[in-house]
Amino acid sequence: NSFAMDIPISAPSRGFETIDLNVGGFVQPRFTHIPDDPAAATSGTIGFSVRRVRLENIVSFKAQQGVDLTTKISLEIMPEARLVDAYIDAGMHSLFNIRFGQQKSGSNRSLMISDKRTLFPERGALQELVPRREMGLTVHGMTDSGLVAYSLGVFNGEGTNRLANVNRKMMGVGRVVLSPIGSPGTTTELMNPSEPTTVSLGYAFHINQVGPEGQQEGTYGHNAEAFVHWKWMT
């Protein structure tokens, strides 16, 4: 559930034309049943649980002229308290925007989908192999028609909620998506059957170095993606 409020500015001669405030969050409860595994000598589980509880605060400042600003802060309070997103986004044009702070790295399509809009309760195992939320800066945008979308980012490469760049090496992440039919469809996997047919193809990469000086290890990742939506099929 979420709450949104539009706040018009009464003096339109300068400054921001509107301020949009969106305060909300979501809860993901579940029932879990894992049978016993005698061969592995492990006991199963059965019962109710909560996968995550998240609070979100998004404020968008729409300028009459110049740069639009968006700030987002999201906190996860279950299963453990931690900061999730904390960034400011400056929008100059649909083709050129700058985002600074802790954010999704853009390393693959599944990551870019919000936890409340994924097609399945859990993401694929790919998420354990690529960088996720990182501290850094991203340049991103798309054409007005949605034909091409891109993002290029530079990050510490130390992981979520790690403010210091321990090994003094930067991580690079890039992604490009071509959507010859429909829009990129990156914002959701829960598409209505009445929505237009969508076909998008993309590629993402990341390069990073981890470990202390003299013991560093390079990581290079390549990720191809394909997304198709047609009537009842996604």
Side-chain angles (χ1 to χ4, degrees), residues 21-63:
L21 172 64
N22 189 305
V23 179
F26 58 93
V27 181
Q28 293 178 328
R30 62 175 51 177
F31 175 78
T32 303
H33 177 216
I34 301 176
D36 296 340
D37 189 349
T42 59
S43 301
T45 60
I46 184 170
F48 300 95
S49 64
V50 175
R51 176 65 178 88
R52 60 173 56 87
V53 178
R54 190 168 296 171
L55 303 178
E56 296 182 332
N57 179 31
I58 304 174
V59 185
S60 300
F61 302 86
K62 178 68 175 179

Side-chain angles (χ1 to χ4, degrees), residues 130-175:
V130 296
R132 289 177 282 186
R133 283 178 170 86
E134 297 277 351
M135 179 64 68
L137 182 145
T138 298
V139 177
H140 64 98
M142 71 167 59
T143 59
D144 292 334
S145 64
L147 178 63
V148 179
Y150 79 95
S151 66
L152 292 171
V154 178
F155 303 91
N156 286 344
E158 301 291 344
T160 306
N161 293 334
R162 297 288 300 276
L163 301 182
N165 190 6
V166 178
N167 64 0
R168 297 183 295 176
K169 301 290 184 180
M170 307 301 292
M171 178 180 72
V173 180
R175 179 172 177 262

Side-chain angles (χ1 to χ4, degrees), residues 9 11-18 62-68:
I9 302 301
S13 59
R14 61 181 181 178
F16 296 109
E17 182 177 357
T18 60
K62 178 68 175 179
Q64 294 185 2
Q65 297 179 353
V67 179
D68 298 334

Side-chain angles (χ1 to χ4, degrees), residues 67-208:
V67 179
D68 298 334
L69 297 177
T70 300
T71 64
K72 180 178 180 180
I73 296 178
S74 59
L75 302 172
E76 195 161 278
I77 58 178
M78 285 185 69
E80 61 182 17
R82 66 188 182 98
L83 179 67
V84 182
D85 294 301
Y87 63 77
I88 182 169
D89 195 297
M92 289 74 167
H93 187 273
S94 62
L95 278 173
F96 186 77
N97 302 270
I98 298 177
R99 180 174 296 178
F100 176 73
Q102 181 161 287
Q103 57 189 289
K104 294 180 177 180
S105 64
S107 56
N108 70 97
R109 184 187 186 282
S110 179
L111 177 67
M112 304 309 293
I113 307 298
S114 170
D115 287 311
K116 57 187 175 184
R117 296 190 175 95
T118 56
L119 197 60
F120 299 103
E122 296 292 346
R123 301 179 190 271
L126 173 67
Q127 302 307 306
E128 304 300 324
L129 304 176
V130 296
R132 289 177 282 186
R133 283 178 170 86
E134 297 277 351
M135 179 64 68
L137 182 145
T138 298
V139 177
H140 64 98
M142 71 167 59
T143 59
D144 292 334
S145 64
L147 178 63
V148 179
Y150 79 95
S151 66
L152 292 171
V154 178
F155 303 91
N156 286 344
E158 301 291 344
T160 306
N161 293 334
R162 297 288 300 276
L163 301 182
N165 190 6
V166 178
N167 64 0
R168 297 183 295 176
K169 301 290 184 180
M170 307 301 292
M171 178 180 72
V173 180
R175 179 172 177 262
V176 61
V177 181
L178 176 65
S179 301
I181 301 175
S183 67
T186 305
T187 57
T188 182
E189 292 177 344
L190 302 175
M191 300 192 71
N192 194 293
S194 62
E195 293 190 48
T197 300
T198 297
V199 176
S200 66
L201 303 172
Y203 166 76
F205 76 92
H206 70 271
I207 177 172
N208 190 27

